[in-house]
Structures are given as structure tokens and as C-alpha cells.
Amino acid sequence: MTTIYRPSADFDDVIRAQSPTPTYEESVPYGTTAPPGGTYGVPQGQPFDPNAGAGDLYGAPAPGYDPFLSPGGAGIVDPYAGSPMPGYTTGLNGPQPFRFGWTSNLTFGLLPKVRTYAQPGGAQGGNFGVFETDVDLKYTTPLRSGWIFSAAPEFDYRGWSGPQFISLPGAGYRFGTDLALSTPANGLWSVQLGFTPALASDFGKSLSSNAWQFDARVVLFYRPSQTWMFAVGAAYWDRLGDYVIPYAGVVWTPNDLWEIRAMFPKSRVSRFLGNVGHKSVWLYGTFEYDIESFEVERAGVTNRDQVEFKDYALMLGLRGEGPCMTMFLEAGGVFRRHAYFQSGGGFDTKDGFMARFGFQF
């Protein structure tokens, strides 16, 4: 069950990446648009090409040069040369890992029908499939205190097909708002605090307290160098059950071609392939864990019930990043997928295929 409100999205505003990875995730991690004249010798809106040779049309550096790791090299403009690193500078491509202003995400996902299996004490369910739509609109702004605040209203739709022999409504809806406070991530230490109230239901009848969900997180980041970053923290997920999961891991960025995020609840490996027109193209793989739940109306159950889905997903995808829009297409598998009901019972789903498409602007 993949969604834009997966907790992994919360990392992107503070993790240094050569370019954004908004596979249903956060906004551009390192600045908004380049200042007039370009940054690091590259004109505004022109993606950095690590394969360009010195003295090319844009004055790009030699192959393999990473402006984040070796600022101020030959032919390169260092915007911070001779001055201390500011807390944040709007409109500057560089170490600042936040994109101020508005960003939008729209994602569609398809999980074709697969066979289900009865859990102990349950009935055979038949086949089960899901169609997903996720939308969010995020606003990020600096505060007078020096912290960065973001608010992201979210809407998520789940169209359920089946199981034929288990009562489950045809759709679930989620309305939420992710609120976050972060410190500027340009020093050794930074922190992010998050709170996400949400309403998740099929809206078949009047709502009960089971429709409300209140998630929270706190993460501490330590960045000893531009190539290494460590994260430690925890998150609380309010679902059918109450879950406290680790928010922790290591990010390694050895050069301008690779980024490796060994994180939980989501890990990702990204490899820069090159530029196609005005788009930078990346190949990436992800491994993630998710839990989501909805209040539902079920035949044969006296009161409103609640369904919870747990799963792991392994995905491989391509994304193209342009000055105004980023698009991605990914496919993979969902496995160890389980559904539980508050009234008792549930079903397990056979491992299956999943595809997802989306864009950010």
C-alpha cells in the first residue's frame, strides 16, 4: 500500500542529494532555482552534467567533479567563498536542503488482483487488487526564529477490488495534513519534528474515533561531512494498533553520480544516468515498509470496523527532473502483505506486482 504520506518522505527535506528524488515524496531537497548567471558555472535552469569536460559551452568542470564535495575548483564559482555558511538562502542552488514556497505531488498506483489466503479462524477471500491516487500540496517557509516550517495537506484514495468472500467496501479515503519543524541542515547537527493528524474512512456512515489518526516523529541528523550523514529517531503511527518504529540509518553520497540511503522505514539507492534535453535522468531502487488503516462499514459487523494493511515493497524506477516538473515511473513487487480487522480475522495476500507513475511541480 504505497502512499505519499509514507514516513520516508519526511527525510527528503534534510538529506543532501545531488538532485530531488520525489517518487511521491518531498520537494527539491537543495534549493529552489539557480540565481541569475547560474551556480558553479552552470546557467540557470541547466542541469549539472558530470560528464562534461572543462571549457565546454557552460564552463562545466572536469568529469567526476562534485561541486558539493570540492567547491571552489577551477572554473567554478563558490557562492560561499570567504564567508560563513548562512542558515538558509532562498533561491540558491547549493547546500540549502529546502525548497521554499509551494510544491505539488500527484501519484497513481496499480496493484493488480492476486489471490488471498485465510488467516487462522478466517474465511477464504478470493482475489484482491488496489488502485491508488495520492495528492499533496506543500508549503515551506523560514520562520523568524531560524527554524523552517512546512504544512502539507494530503488526500489519498484507495479503490479496493475484492476480496469476493470477505466484506470490504469499494474504497477508502484519507484527508490529512503533515506539519513539520526543522532546523537548517547545513551544520553538524539538525533536527526535524513532525505531527500528522488525518481522517481515514470509507465515509459509509457517521465517523467514530477509529477514523482519526495522529502520527508523530522526531529525528536527529548528524552530518560530519558532505559524503556521510547519520539519522536516529522514532515515529509513532496511529493505526488499528499503536506502533513505534525507528527512524534511523545512514546516507552515503560518495560522488555526484551515486547516493545510497540505508534507512528505515525506507532505503533507496540512486544512480545518475545523464541529461536528456533539459531533464536529468536517474535510475533508482527502493525498499520500504508501510502500515495504513481505514475505518470501514462491513456487512455482518454491528458497529463500524477498522481495516489495517501491512506490507513491504521493492521497487525499481526511472525519474526525469526538469526545471519545472519532475516525473517518475517505477515498478516492482509487494510482499508479506496482510490485512487485519478490528472485529477479528483478516486475510493474507499473495506476493504481487505493483506499478506507479507520478509527477511533481
Side-chain angles (χ1 to χ4, degrees):
M1 294 300 185
T2 52
T3 112
I4 59 174
Y5 60 93
R6 284 183 182 274
S8 55
D10 308 321
F11 287 125
D12 275 6
D13 274 344
V14 287
I15 292 179
R16 172 244 194 257
Q18 298 89 341
S19 62
T21 48
T23 54
Y24 62 84
E25 299 183 8
E26 295 287 355
S27 57
V28 178
Y30 278 80
T32 51
T33 57
T39 305
Y40 303 119
V42 181
Q44 184 171 2
Q46 176 67 26
F48 174 70
D49 186 354
N51 298 315
D56 70 358
L57 177 61
Y58 299 120
Y65 180 83
D66 185 349
F68 291 99
L69 305 183
S70 305
I76 305 303
V77 178
D78 184 355
Y80 296 125
S83 63
M85 182 73 72
Y88 40 74
T89 305
T90 304
L92 183 64
N93 254 341
Q96 170 51 33
F98 292 88
R99 179 177 180 176
F100 298 129
W102 293 98
T103 56
S104 303
N105 292 278
L106 178 60
T107 303
F108 302 97
L110 177 64
L111 292 81
K113 284 186 176 182
V114 294
R115 182 179 302 175
T116 64
Y117 301 93
Q119 294 177 0
Q124 182 66 35
N127 297 324
F128 183 60
V130 183
F131 174 76
E132 305 177 346
T133 302
D134 300 315
V135 183
D136 79 302
L137 180 64
K138 180 177 180 180
Y139 181 74
T140 303
T141 184
L143 302 179
R144 297 175 68 91
S145 62
W147 286 64
I148 293 98
F149 171 76
S150 67
E154 304 167 343
F155 168 74
D156 307 288
Y157 166 80
R158 297 291 177 267
W160 297 314
S161 178
Q164 292 91 328
F165 307 112
I166 294 179
S167 174
L168 187 68
Y173 308 87
R174 177 185 176 275
F175 297 87
T177 300
D178 183 72
L179 306 172
L181 278 173
S182 306
T183 56
N186 52 19
L188 282 177
W189 298 92
S190 60
V191 65
Q192 184 184 91
L193 308 174
F195 175 63
T196 309
L199 188 65
S201 172
D202 64 347
F203 295 99
K205 288 187 177 180
S206 59
L207 302 176
S208 72
S209 59
N210 290 334
W212 289 100
Q213 300 174 0
F214 300 97
D215 294 359
R217 65 186 181 277
V218 56
V219 190
L220 180 66
F221 299 90
Y222 175 63
R223 191 192 310 273
S225 70
Q226 291 290 352
T227 57
W228 290 97
M229 193 193 74
F230 303 88
V232 59
Y236 167 74
W237 290 354
D238 180 11
R239 304 293 186 264
L240 191 157
D242 297 326
Y243 299 89
V244 177
I245 66 165
Y247 255 33
V250 178
V251 179
W252 181 41
T253 312
N255 51 49
D256 55 356
L257 299 179
W258 288 92
E259 185 198 60
I260 300 171
R261 301 188 184 188
M263 310 287 287
F264 188 88
K266 177 178 178 178
S267 294
R268 179 174 61 214
V269 177
S270 300
R271 174 62 161 85
F272 178 62
L273 299 181
N275 293 327
V276 178
H278 290 288
K279 286 189 178 294
S280 299
V281 180
W282 291 78
L283 175 70
Y284 64 91
T286 63
F287 178 80
E288 55 192 297
Y289 169 68
D290 186 45
I291 305 174
E292 64 180 20
S293 67
F294 298 84
E295 184 181 60
V296 293
E297 181 72 15
R298 299 182 62 217
V301 179
T302 304
N303 299 316
R304 296 278 276 164
D305 206 350
Q306 188 175 8
V307 61
E308 176 183 271
F309 298 96
K310 294 182 181 180
D311 65 62
Y312 295 86
L314 184 64
M315 306 291 289
L316 182 66
L318 283 172
R319 70 179 183 274
E321 302 164 357
C324 300
M325 181 180 295
T326 293
M327 303 178 67
F328 78 92
L329 176 64
E330 60 186 26
V334 177
F335 55 99
R336 295 189 62 183
R337 192 166 167 218
H338 308 286
Y340 304 94
F341 294 108
Q342 185 181 46
S343 59
F347 58 92
D348 300 332
T349 304
K350 183 181 178 181
D351 299 345
F353 173 79
M354 175 173 62
R356 190 164 48 204
F357 165 78
F359 56 89
Q360 176 194 54
F361 54 92

